[in-house]
Amino acid sequence: MQYNPGWNGSSVNLLHVRAAGPEDSLHYVWSSIGAPAVLLVATQSPSSSLRVNWSQLLSPSPAGAIWIDPPDSVVYSTAVVFTKLFEFSEAKPLGELFYPTYDLSEFSWDSLNHTLNHTALTAELRGVPATDPGGGFANGSLAFQVTAYEAGGRAGRLPGLLHTADSSQLEFVLAGVAPRGNGSRFALEVATVEEAGAVRRLRSERSIDDEYTPTIFEVLSLLAESQNGSSTLGFLQWKATAYGSRSPRREDGIRCRAQGLRAANWTLPVSSVVQAYFGESLGSSCTVSALNVSFGGEEGQVYQEKRYLSWSVLLGFGQPPRDTFSPLVISITAVALGTPLAMLLLGSCLVLLARRRRYSEYEPIN
């Protein structure tokens, strides 16, 4: 993990996370220069490196300021941009009432270097609006907490997402922000950038297994696939829940919904790290898609009461991890289903033996 590689200042945030394999390497570039974003690049060289032209990156024309060396080692690249935070409430009978939008490209962000932990491979990007006329952020903040992984495993806190060494976890946290209405709900707009040859699609999977995330049976994945559908290039994956506590429990769950993937026919807000890497192709050959992830619903006023909201999402390359039943659950299921079957078979055998003994006492009649 490198903070602002090649730059001594801390007035801007750029975090480079590199995972090296025997024949390839993966790069995650997190930044709050403009709208908060992450650039994901997979290369077929174990020694590929990130290059940053800082004077160009911080200029009004950052195209070409970020690249991977050697350039021909890049096999796939994409970006995820967190653009806006919406706040709305149910205003019956008029429907949804939206308050002025929080544009994340206009936030002021703390130095990420203060929260960087090279041992735990974590960092936190925390910010507030540069101007806040309503005072909603007077005692609150919005944050993105990043966690990288060196091996496969499972997050210790709910929702307990399964991860691999090829993935990183992002936790979106809204803490202490005063809602502007009774029953306010929030929605985070997420945009993705794909180069020519790749498309995004939203997939929902349901399972009867809620062992690791109690009462939640749905997993959503935003997949980047080749246009012929032959392979999955990257993903965002999350459980259909958020939580309203710093130490989340089942009862702190908040409903989480993805409100449809759509082609973004608007221009991305200023996000220098994305413009710096994709350059002119961002407005021509690249495909920009967006969806809103909303939090809250009929289940109540969890955020109103605790003023806390956290949502975890996994980002990575290739196929997203798939949960399977643990050996404990398989054993319990086998016992639960096998015991009645064994008793039925044993009872049938005893009945047959008893009948044979009963009729064997008589001589056959000619």
Side-chain angles (χ1 to χ4, degrees):
M1 302 180 76
Q2 297 174 294
Y3 175 69
N4 288 352
W7 178 262
N8 293 326
S10 59
S11 58
V12 295
N13 290 309
L14 189 146
L15 176 66
H16 175 220
V17 182
R18 178 175 176 270
E23 298 179 354
D24 55 9
S25 57
L26 308 175
H27 300 265
Y28 293 83
V29 184
W30 304 86
S31 175
S32 64
I33 304 174
V38 55
L39 174 67
L40 298 88
V41 183
T43 74
Q44 57 186 1
S45 168
S47 58
S48 62
S49 57
L50 177 72
R51 297 285 185 255
V52 182
N53 183 330
W54 280 98
S55 58
Q56 186 176 354
L57 177 62
L58 300 178
S59 72
S61 302
I66 293 178
W67 70 97
I68 298 295
D69 191 25
D72 58 0
S73 67
V74 176
V75 293
Y76 172 64
S77 56
T78 184
V80 180
V81 187
F82 303 94
T83 52
K84 296 175 182 178
L85 179 69
F86 301 102
E87 183 182 349
F88 59 98
S89 62
E90 297 288 348
K92 297 179 180 180
L94 302 177
E96 294 178 341
L97 171 65
F98 279 83
Y99 298 96
T101 302
Y102 293 113
D103 190 336
L104 301 190
S105 66
E106 298 176 357
F107 270 46
S108 175
W109 302 94
D110 295 342
S111 174
L112 186 147
N113 195 37
H114 299 323
T115 62
L116 186 58
N117 188 324
H118 289 274
T119 303
L121 300 179
T122 59
E124 181 179 78
L125 191 63
R126 183 182 299 272
V128 297
T131 58
D132 185 21
F137 279 79
N139 298 309
S141 64
L142 180 152
F144 294 97
Q145 298 174 356
V146 179
T147 303
Y149 298 108
E150 293 182 310
R154 186 179 299 278
R157 297 186 343 134
L158 289 176
L161 294 176
L162 182 67
H163 62 258
T164 67
D166 295 344
S167 60
S168 295
Q169 180 171 295
L170 178 72
E171 185 176 359
F172 165 72
V173 177
L174 197 64
V177 178
R180 290 173 284 185
N182 294 326
S184 281
R185 295 160 59 186
F186 293 92
L188 178 66
E189 185 178 66
V190 183
T192 63
V193 179
E194 294 293 337
E195 291 183 308
V199 294
R200 286 274 178 176
R201 72 179 182 90
L202 183 63
R203 182 179 73 188
S204 173
E205 291 185 333
R206 293 184 177 273
S207 169
I208 63 171
D209 183 17
D210 70 337
E211 178 183 3
Y212 301 105
T213 312
T215 73
I216 304 301
F217 302 94
E218 184 181 13
V219 178
L220 295 106
S221 301
L222 186 57
L223 304 174
E225 298 178 332
S226 55
Q227 286 189 333
N228 58 14
S230 61
S231 61
T232 300
L233 305 172
F235 66 88
L236 278 76
Q237 184 186 64
W238 65 94
K239 295 287 185 74
T241 185
Y243 291 95
S245 173
R246 298 180 187 274
S247 302
R249 300 168 297 173
R250 179 183 61 82
E251 55 267 31
D252 299 318
I254 300 174
R255 181 177 298 182
C256 172
R257 292 175 175 172
Q259 299 178 345
L261 182 66
R262 64 192 185 279
N265 54 5
W266 36 261
T267 304
L268 277 175
V270 177
S271 179
S272 295
V273 67
V274 177
Q275 295 174 336
Y277 181 82
F278 290 101
E280 299 301 325
S281 64
L282 187 60
S284 56
S285 60
C286 288
T287 301
V288 181
S289 304
L291 83 162
N292 292 343
V293 181
S294 65
F295 312 101
E298 302 87 355
E299 68 273 13
Q301 313 293 322
V302 178
Y303 183 80
Q304 298 281 344
E305 296 170 0
K306 300 187 178 180
R307 301 284 177 93
Y308 189 87
L309 168 69
S310 69
W311 172 64
S312 298
V313 57
L314 196 71
L315 305 90
F317 299 88
Q319 287 281 358
R322 300 185 74 121
D323 263 323
T324 57
F325 290 105
S326 69
L328 176 62
V329 170
I330 293 174
S331 301
I332 294 173
T333 305
V335 171
L337 297 178
T339 300
L341 181 60
M343 293 179 66
L344 179 62
L345 291 175
L346 180 60
S348 300
C349 292
L350 292 174
V351 169
L352 290 174
L353 287 173
R355 292 187 62 181
R356 287 189 61 185
R357 286 176 182 172
R358 194 172 96 190
Y359 288 104
S360 64
E361 295 174 358
Y362 299 89
E363 293 293 332
I365 299 175
N366 188 350

